[in-house]
């Protein structure tokens, strides 16, 4: 977008002529046009160059305060000169110069060829970077006559050419990814190689789009993944991000997001800042960080923009934020030495370009002096800034006067530029002249600190890569033979074709004087980073501490060496929601990121034994969850025991029933001669009392731990006891009916079928049927003790499982059949004339009996666990008490309390 904006402000004719000149000089095309053109805007006066047989071009952002564009649409657009010399890029330019001088002294690398350079300041301006690149690639003449025949050889063989006039076959440039993309695309058709020392956008690895691009810095894929690994490793699931609003920031955060996807890490916000509006953007980002709940902030920005952001945070007293730094600012000395920034930036954890040393480079920097390099305007500006004096003041004044008197000035003709030069002249005039004794020897300054060279080392490697490619291109066994013999196989330093140089650069193996070897893998070199930590010093500033490294996608970290922003060794916590502890699961909140969730306890029978579980796991049927819902434990066996409350209650009721039955039995024995006992066959009454006692006692078999024999015996005892009881009642009912029927005329013989023997035989017959059913059932498919796993709970009920439902149904069905028959007959005999009609008592007792067992069925089916047994015991006791009370309570009342009614006369009275 910036490049298109730039083109829209350069008239098409001028741009066409400039590009035509570049293409013509690079390819040797013949151009015939009857016109003389002049460029509207020449390159900046400040440059650094050294003559040589082959010139390497360099573009660096030597100033960090770009001026605003003056665009009134009434005159040509123009930028004012940049201000604010940046020390680090100045070191990069000298790294290039040092490498070139080192190569020129090397007798084995480019022997007989002198390497030169030309360095321009792009000032972080895309138009300036493009203009500088085109001026170096196409030549830097202020005017061109296109009517002449200009083959390529003439372009290289102009007599008296300086580094500023020679064509540059290769550029070391692109301090940003956007600049690298722009220059690679513009220079791609010309096959001019571009080697970047800072453009780290992953997109530049695409050889189909950028075949002429190389870099000595790893792709951002590796640092973004390393930062994502740090976030995952330290469980920072809730983060914020501040990025540069360009290709560097946008693509880096895109890779970071791809890496953390599905890993439980979320970004609360992403704030983009622009360099042109950094003050407002830094203020906005600082407010966002202050209001954010995220305590870890990821920053992909240039260090000057980070400086503005940190100053805004310091104003607002925002502390205890853990910052993750990209390589663009993680090693900035300006930030480390700023005391105001140290209050908010302590504990920064960052990825840094790998550090290295260049032997002799420190000595080279300390030996620099404006008197030795009078044409180095950047060194003069550095001298003014650091020593507060003007080096070579007389020479500077002569230069200014000659400039203003020059009839060929172009760029400075703009009033704003003239004004800037006047301000610069006034500044120089206000400073005293240097004494000449100023020196960098013995001075502690970031400029001379070469202990950890990072970007400067990338520049150094780029120069060596260019030199080895040139060496491979220019190497020729017959270089001293006549040109006609080797012109087809050898290249001359004056006739270097960028396309051929590009081919050699693609396959060159580079070796530095330190023995480091590398080659380009496409556009890239093997990825290596340092992991650094900003730690407090006694002076209040910050220092850089190496805590690990990154090799490709492998991260090696010494966690014990880290000093966090909190000042402790505890890893800062940055989460939207605390991790769900074991025993709970995550439940996402509506319309909120996945990292914001609630912790829901696992349901009973489910567990989660890990922190941050998404789901609870159900325990196997033999197990149940513990109280913390963190582990499955074996379910405890449960059964109706004698020592628990329910067991004691039922046992007491059963024993009491048996005792009462025994007491009634004793009463009947004592009063067996009385009419009340003798009426309606006293033998059946005693047998009925015996069966009721068995019914009470059989309920005790259901209490206690089930076993194989107890399961078999309890059902047999229950079925046979109740059939015996109901059989006695049925026979009693039949006898009552027979007695009253025999009183009718012609029915005298009816009683012979219901004598005492027949009554006893009938009871035995009815009971034997139940005995047969139980025998067959228990022999073929008896109940067995088995845990009831269907009931959900920490306890599993040990119960007598009915292996055959048919057998149990036949037992209950037969009891029900006898009971219904007895109820029907007793109901028919209830109004027979008698003062004491036993049929009425049997009717009430059977109503209670049937009501109990009818309600028993649904209660039995729906009761859980051991309560199934309790329901069956309750039904046994309730029906037994019903029979005992309804039948024998009235008789005992008369026998014991109304003996005057215990006479045959009273009983027979109507």
């Amino acid at each position: 977008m910036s490049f298109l904006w730039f083109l829209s402000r350069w008239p098409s004719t001028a741009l066409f002529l400039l590009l035509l000149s570049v293409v013509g000089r690079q390819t040797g095309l013949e151009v015939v046009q009857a016109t003389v053109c002049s460029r509207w805007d020449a390159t900046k006066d400040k440059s650094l160059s050294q003559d040589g047989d082959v010139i390497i071009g360099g573009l660096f952002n030597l100033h960090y305060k770009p001026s605003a564009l003056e665009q009134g649409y009434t005159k040509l657009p123009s930028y004012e000169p940049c201000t604010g010399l940046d020390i680090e890029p100045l070191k990069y330019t000298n790294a290039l110069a040092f490498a070139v001088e080192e190569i020129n002294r090397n007798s084995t690398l480019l022997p007989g060829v002198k390497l030169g350079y030309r360095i321009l300041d792009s000032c972080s301006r895309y138009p300036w970077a493009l203009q500088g690149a085109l001026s170096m690639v196409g030549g830097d003449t202020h005017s061109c006559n296109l009517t002449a025949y200009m083959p390529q050889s003439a372009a290289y063989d102009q007599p008296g050419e300086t580094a500023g006039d020679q064509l540059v076959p290769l550029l070391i440039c692109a301090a940003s990814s956007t600049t690298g993309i722009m220059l690679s695309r513009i220079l791609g058709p010309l096959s001019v190689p571009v080697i970047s020392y800072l453009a780290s956008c992953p997109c530049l690895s695409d050889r189909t789009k950028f075949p002429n691009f190389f870099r000595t810095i790893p792709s951002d894929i590796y640092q973004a993944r390393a930062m994502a690994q740090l976030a995952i490793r330290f469980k920072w699931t809730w983060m914020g991000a501040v990025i540069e609003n360009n290709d560097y920031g946008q693509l880096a955060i895109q890779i970071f997001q791809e890496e953390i996807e599905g890993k439980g890490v979320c970004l609360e916000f992403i704030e983009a800042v622009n360099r042109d509006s950094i003050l407002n953007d830094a203020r906005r980002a600082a407010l966002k960080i202050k209001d954010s709940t995220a305590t870890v902030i990821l920053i992909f920005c240039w260090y000057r923009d980070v400086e503005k952001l940190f100053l805004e945070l310091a104003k607002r007293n925002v502390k205890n934020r853990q910052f993750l730094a990209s390589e663009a600012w993680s090693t900035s000395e300006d930030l480390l030495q700023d005391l105001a920034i140290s209050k908010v930036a302590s504990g920064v954890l960052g990825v840094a370009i790998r550090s290295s040393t260049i032997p002799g480079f420190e000595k080279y920097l300390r030996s620099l002096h404006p008197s030795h390099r009078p044409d180095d305007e950047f060194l003069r500006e550095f001298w003014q800034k650091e020593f507060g004096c003007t080096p070579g003041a007389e020479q500077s004044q002569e230069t200014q006067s000659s400039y203003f008197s020059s009839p060929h000035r172009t760029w400075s003709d703009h009033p704003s530029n003239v004004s800037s030069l006047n301000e610069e002249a006034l500044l120089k005039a206000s400073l005293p002249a240097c004494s000449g004794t100023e020196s960098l020897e013995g001075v502690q300054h970031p400029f001379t600190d070469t202990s950890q060279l990072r970007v400067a080392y990338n520049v150094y490697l780029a120069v060596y890569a260019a030199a080895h490619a040139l060496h491979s291109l220019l190497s020729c066994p017959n270089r001293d033979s006549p040109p006609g013999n080797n012109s087809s196989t050898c290249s001359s330093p004056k006739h270097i074709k960028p396309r051929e140089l590009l081919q050699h650069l693609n396959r060159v193996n580079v070796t530095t004087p330190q023995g480091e070897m590398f080659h380009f893998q496409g556009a890239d070199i093997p990825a290596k980073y340092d992991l650094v930590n900003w730690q407090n010093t006694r002076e209040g500033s910050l220092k850089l501490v190496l805590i690990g490294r990154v090799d490709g996608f492998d991260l090696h970290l010494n966690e014990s060496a880290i000093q966090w922003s909190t000042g402790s060794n505890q890893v800062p916590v940055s989460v939207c929601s605390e991790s769900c502890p074991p025993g709970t699961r995550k439940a996402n909140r509506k319309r909120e990121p996945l990292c914001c969730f609630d912790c829901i306890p696992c349901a009973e029978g489910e567990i989660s034994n890990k922190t941050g579980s998404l789901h609870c796991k159900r325990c196997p049927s033999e197990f149940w969850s513990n109280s913390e819902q963190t582990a499955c434990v074996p379910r405890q066996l449960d059964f109706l025991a004698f020592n628990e409350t329910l067991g004691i209650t039922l046992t007491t009721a059963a024993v009491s029933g048996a005792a009462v039955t025994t007491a009634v039995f004793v009463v009947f024995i004592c009063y067996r001669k009385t009419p009340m006992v003798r009426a309606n066959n006293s033998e059946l009454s005693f047998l009925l009392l015996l069966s009721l006692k068995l019914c009470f006692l059989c309920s005790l078999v259901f209490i206690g731990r089930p076993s194989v024999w107890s399961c078999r015996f309890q059902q047999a005892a229950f079925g046979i006891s109740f059939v015996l009881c109901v059989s006695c009642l049925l026979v009693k009912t039949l006898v009552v009916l027979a007695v009253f029927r025999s009183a009718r005329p012609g029915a005298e013989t009816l009683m012979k079928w219901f004598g005492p023997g027949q009554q006893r035989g009938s009871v035995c017959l009815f009971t034997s049927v139940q005995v047969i059913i139980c025998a067959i059932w228990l022999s073929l498919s008896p109940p067995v003790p088995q845990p009831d796993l269907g009931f959900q709970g920490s306890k599993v009920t040990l119960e007598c499982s009915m292996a055959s439902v048919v057998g149990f149904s036949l037992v209950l069905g037969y009891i029900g059949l006898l009971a219904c028959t007895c109820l029907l007959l007793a109901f028919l005999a209830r109004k027979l004339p008698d003062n004491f009609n036993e049929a009425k008592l049997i009717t009430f007792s059977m109503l209670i009996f049937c009501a109990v067992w009818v309600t028993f069925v649904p209660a039995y089916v729906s009761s859980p666990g051991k309560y199934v047994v309790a329901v069956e015991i309750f039904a046994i006791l309730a029906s037994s008490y019903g029979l005992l009370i309804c039948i024998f309570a009235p008789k005992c009342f008369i026998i014991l309390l109304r003996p005057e009614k215990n006479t045959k006369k009273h009983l027979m009275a109507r």
Side-chain angles (χ1 to χ4, degrees):
M1 291 299 293
S2 299
F3 174 57
L4 295 177
W5 169 90
F6 170 61
L7 293 184
S8 67
R9 286 157 173 76
W10 245 11
S12 59
T13 304
L15 179 61
F16 171 76
L17 290 175
L18 177 59
L19 292 177
L20 187 60
S21 173
V22 172
V23 173
R25 298 191 70 175
Q26 286 290 338
T27 61
L29 294 176
E30 296 181 11
V31 181
V32 179
Q33 182 174 339
T35 182
V36 176
C37 63
S38 62
R39 195 181 315 157
W40 279 352
D41 200 3
T43 54
K44 277 59 64 183
D45 285 345
K46 293 183 180 181
S47 65
L48 179 62
S49 62
Q50 175 180 300
D51 294 338
D53 300 324
V54 181
I55 303 299
I56 293 177
L59 278 174
F60 298 91
N61 295 331
L62 285 158
H63 293 84
Y64 62 86
K65 293 182 180 178
S67 59
L69 172 68
E70 290 187 4
Q71 177 60 47
Y73 300 99
T74 59
K75 55 186 178 181
L76 298 180
S78 177
Y79 289 95
E80 290 186 3
C82 291
T83 58
L85 182 66
D86 203 335
I87 302 301
E88 284 298 313
L90 183 61
K91 188 187 294 186
Y92 309 158
T93 63
N94 283 280
L96 188 151
F98 174 79
V100 169
E101 293 184 13
E102 190 176 59
I103 292 168
N104 287 335
R105 294 193 300 268
N106 193 329
S107 59
T108 60
L109 185 60
L110 290 175
V113 178
K114 182 183 179 182
L115 204 58
Y117 56 82
R118 186 181 178 207
I119 298 172
L120 297 179
D121 178 17
S122 58
C123 195
S124 303
R125 288 289 190 186
Y126 303 135
W128 282 16
L130 176 59
Q131 180 185 349
L134 291 177
S135 69
M136 287 189 285
V137 171
D140 195 24
T141 56
H142 288 194
S143 62
C144 58
N145 188 345
L146 298 181
T147 60
Y149 176 83
M150 286 290 293
Q152 184 178 3
S153 59
Y156 281 99
D157 294 337
Q158 295 296 322
E161 277 188 326
T162 64
D165 298 325
Q166 285 182 258
L167 300 187
V168 171
L170 177 144
L171 288 177
I172 296 175
C173 58
S176 69
S177 297
T178 303
T179 304
I181 293 170
M182 177 183 68
L183 295 182
S184 181
R185 284 178 173 168
I186 293 296
L187 301 179
L190 305 176
S191 298
V192 176
V194 174
I195 305 179
S196 175
Y197 50 91
L198 264 182
S200 53
C201 174
C203 59
L204 289 166
S205 298
D206 189 345
R207 302 307 283 170
T208 60
K209 295 181 180 179
F210 309 102
N212 62 323
F213 181 83
F214 302 86
R215 56 184 166 196
T216 54
I217 184 174
S219 167
D220 277 337
I221 289 178
Y222 299 95
Q223 81 156 326
R225 287 188 177 181
M227 299 173 91
Q229 289 178 32
L230 288 173
I232 296 169
R233 178 171 184 161
F234 294 120
K235 300 179 181 178
W236 292 330
T237 61
W238 191 238
M239 302 173 63
V242 180
I243 64 171
E244 198 78 40
N245 193 17
N246 56 18
D247 296 294
Y248 169 73
Q250 297 288 355
L251 291 171
I253 198 65
Q254 178 182 339
I255 296 170
F256 180 84
Q257 288 178 299
E258 291 174 356
E259 189 66 17
I260 64 175
E261 186 177 0
K263 306 294 178 55
V265 179
C266 303
L267 292 176
E268 180 183 4
F269 64 88
I270 300 176
E271 285 291 325
V273 298
N274 296 282
R275 193 165 299 174
D276 294 337
S277 57
I278 185 58
L279 293 179
N280 291 331
D281 290 350
R283 190 178 300 113
R284 185 191 71 248
L287 290 173
K288 188 69 175 180
I289 293 173
K290 182 180 180 180
D291 296 337
S292 170
T293 57
T295 58
V296 176
I297 310 298
L298 174 67
I299 302 182
F300 280 105
C301 291
W302 186 46
Y303 76 96
R304 289 292 177 188
D305 299 339
V306 176
E307 179 182 23
K308 300 295 188 298
L309 174 62
F310 279 167
L311 290 176
E312 290 293 334
L313 291 173
K315 289 180 184 178
R316 291 161 176 78
N317 196 29
V318 179
K319 298 180 181 179
N320 294 330
R321 293 295 192 277
Q322 180 65 48
F323 294 98
L324 272 182
S326 66
E327 38 74 32
W329 65 278
S330 62
T331 57
S332 171
E333 283 293 329
D334 292 346
L335 298 178
L336 288 167
Q337 301 304 321
D338 194 319
L339 296 180
I341 290 177
S342 65
K343 297 178 181 178
V344 297
S346 174
V348 167
L349 192 64
V351 178
I353 299 170
R354 56 93 177 258
S355 63
S356 187
T357 58
I358 304 176
F361 187 45
E362 182 179 3
K363 182 179 179 181
Y364 173 83
L365 292 177
R366 292 188 180 278
S367 66
L368 293 176
H369 198 281
S371 61
H372 303 155
R373 299 169 66 171
D375 296 331
D376 190 345
E377 290 292 333
F378 305 121
L379 183 59
R380 293 172 59 84
E381 187 176 350
F382 170 73
W383 219 258
Q384 293 175 16
K385 178 180 179 181
E386 298 303 325
F387 293 103
C389 63
T390 304
E394 293 182 2
Q395 183 181 359
S396 176
Q397 292 174 3
E398 292 174 2
T399 302
Q400 294 169 19
S401 61
S402 64
Y403 172 81
F404 283 108
S405 61
S406 173
H408 300 293
R409 64 185 184 271
T410 55
W411 166 77
S412 59
D413 289 344
H414 194 279
S416 63
N417 298 331
V418 175
S419 174
S420 298
L421 287 176
N422 289 335
E423 292 178 2
E424 186 176 354
L426 290 174
L427 176 61
K428 291 181 179 180
S430 64
L431 295 175
C434 292
S435 63
T437 60
E438 295 83 2
S439 173
L440 293 174
E441 294 288 346
V443 175
Q444 294 296 326
H445 192 276
F447 179 70
T448 58
D449 182 11
T450 61
S451 59
Q452 291 186 348
L453 296 175
R454 301 181 189 277
V455 182
Y457 189 70
N458 287 350
V459 176
Y460 182 79
L461 292 180
V463 176
Y464 267 90
H468 278 81
L470 287 168
H471 181 85
S472 176
L473 175 64
L474 298 176
S475 295
C476 182
N478 302 316
R479 179 173 297 280
D480 297 331
S481 62
N485 297 337
N486 61 2
S487 59
S488 60
T489 58
C490 298
S491 296
S492 168
K494 296 295 184 180
H495 296 82
I496 294 176
K497 296 180 180 179
R499 186 179 301 276
E500 295 178 354
L501 180 59
L502 179 61
Q503 294 174 356
H504 284 269
L505 196 59
N506 272 311
R507 58 176 180 266
V508 71
N509 290 316
V510 182
T511 304
T512 66
Q514 294 77 43
E516 180 177 354
M517 301 178 64
F518 72 92
H519 65 279
F520 289 108
Q521 301 170 354
D524 302 311
I525 63 172
K528 294 181 180 180
Y529 288 101
D530 289 339
L531 294 176
V532 296
N533 182 221
W534 291 13
Q535 299 185 4
N536 294 315
T537 63
R538 294 180 180 179
E539 294 78 17
S541 60
L542 298 170
K543 65 178 180 179
L544 200 66
V545 177
L546 185 67
I547 58 169
R549 69 182 190 278
V550 177
D551 290 329
F553 294 126
D554 297 328
L555 187 145
H556 308 277
L557 181 65
N558 180 14
E559 293 187 28
S560 61
I562 301 176
Q563 182 184 95
W564 300 104
S565 59
T566 55
S568 67
N569 294 327
Q570 296 295 325
V571 178
V573 177
S574 184
V575 295
C576 178
S577 300
E578 292 289 344
S579 296
C580 291
T584 62
R585 64 174 179 85
K586 291 182 179 179
N588 295 329
R589 299 173 185 169
K590 290 184 178 179
R591 300 186 181 91
E592 292 191 31
L594 294 177
C595 300
C596 300
F597 50 83
D598 296 318
C599 296
I600 306 299
C602 293
E604 290 187 359
E606 297 181 347
I607 64 162
S608 64
N609 52 9
K610 295 181 181 179
T611 300
S613 295
L614 295 176
H615 306 285
C616 295
K617 299 178 181 178
R618 180 165 292 280
C619 292
S621 57
E622 297 86 359
F623 295 85
W624 196 252
S625 57
N626 59 3
S627 58
E628 294 81 16
Q629 314 293 104
T630 57
C632 291
V633 295
R635 297 170 70 176
Q636 297 179 2
L637 287 178
D638 189 28
F639 51 86
L640 187 61
F642 285 101
N643 56 355
E644 62 179 293
T645 304
L646 183 59
I648 293 173
T649 303
L650 294 177
T651 300
T652 303
V655 173
S656 300
V660 171
T661 305
T662 303
V664 173
F665 189 85
V666 171
V667 169
F668 270 53
I669 289 292
C670 295
Y671 293 93
R672 64 184 179 278
K673 300 297 185 180
T674 61
M676 181 63 71
V677 176
R678 295 182 61 186
N680 198 4
N681 197 340
S682 60
E683 292 184 8
L684 287 180
S685 297
F686 288 113
L687 189 58
L688 178 59
L689 286 172
L690 178 62
S691 65
L692 282 176
K693 187 174 182 178
L694 292 176
C695 288
F696 282 115
L697 293 177
C698 78
S699 64
L700 298 177
V701 184
F702 289 84
I703 303 175
R705 184 186 181 96
S707 64
V708 174
W709 291 105
S710 66
C711 289
R712 295 183 179 186
F713 181 71
Q714 63 186 213
Q715 299 300 336
F718 158 69
I720 295 174
S721 298
F722 269 88
V723 166
L724 178 60
C725 180
V726 176
S727 297
C728 292
L729 292 176
L730 178 59
V731 172
K732 274 181 167 287
T733 306
L734 291 174
V735 170
V736 171
L737 288 173
V739 169
F740 285 96
R741 293 290 181 184
S742 63
R744 296 180 182 179
E748 296 81 2
T749 61
L750 185 60
M751 282 303 299
K752 68 179 181 178
W753 297 103
F754 292 95
Q758 288 79 3
Q759 294 177 23
R760 290 191 294 271
S762 298
V763 171
C764 292
L765 177 64
F766 293 144
T767 306
S768 62
V769 173
Q770 184 74 304
V771 172
I772 294 172
I773 294 174
C774 290
I776 297 174
W777 173 33
L778 296 179
S779 61
L780 296 179
S781 183
V784 292
Q786 186 175 342
D788 182 13
L789 300 178
F791 176 67
Q792 302 299 314
S794 60
K795 296 181 180 181
V796 57
T797 303
L798 184 63
E799 62 179 13
C800 293
S801 176
M802 298 298 176
S804 174
V805 179
V806 175
F808 185 62
S809 301
L810 288 176
V811 170
L812 290 181
Y814 185 65
I815 296 174
L817 175 64
L818 295 180
C820 292
T821 304
C822 182
L823 173 63
L824 178 61
L825 295 177
F827 182 77
L828 294 176
R830 74 189 187 284
K831 293 185 178 181
L832 293 177
D834 196 344
N835 199 18
F836 188 84
N837 188 354
E838 196 174 16
K840 295 180 181 179
L841 304 180
I842 295 175
T843 302
F844 284 115
S845 65
M846 295 312 299
L847 281 175
I848 296 173
F849 183 89
C850 291
V852 168
W853 287 102
V854 167
T855 56
F856 160 76
V857 175
Y860 182 86
V861 173
S862 60
S863 296
K866 62 184 179 181
Y867 296 102
V868 173
V869 180
V871 166
E872 188 170 359
I873 295 174
F874 178 80
I876 293 173
L877 296 179
S879 57
S880 299
Y881 271 110
L883 294 176
L884 180 63
I885 294 173
C886 290
I887 294 176
F888 292 99
K891 293 182 179 182
C892 291
F893 178 78
I894 294 174
I895 292 172
L896 298 176
L897 301 179
R898 294 289 187 270
E900 67 277 6
K901 295 183 179 181
N902 191 5
T903 60
K904 185 176 181 181
K905 180 181 178 180
H906 178 76
L907 294 177
M908 298 298 293
R910 293 178 179 268

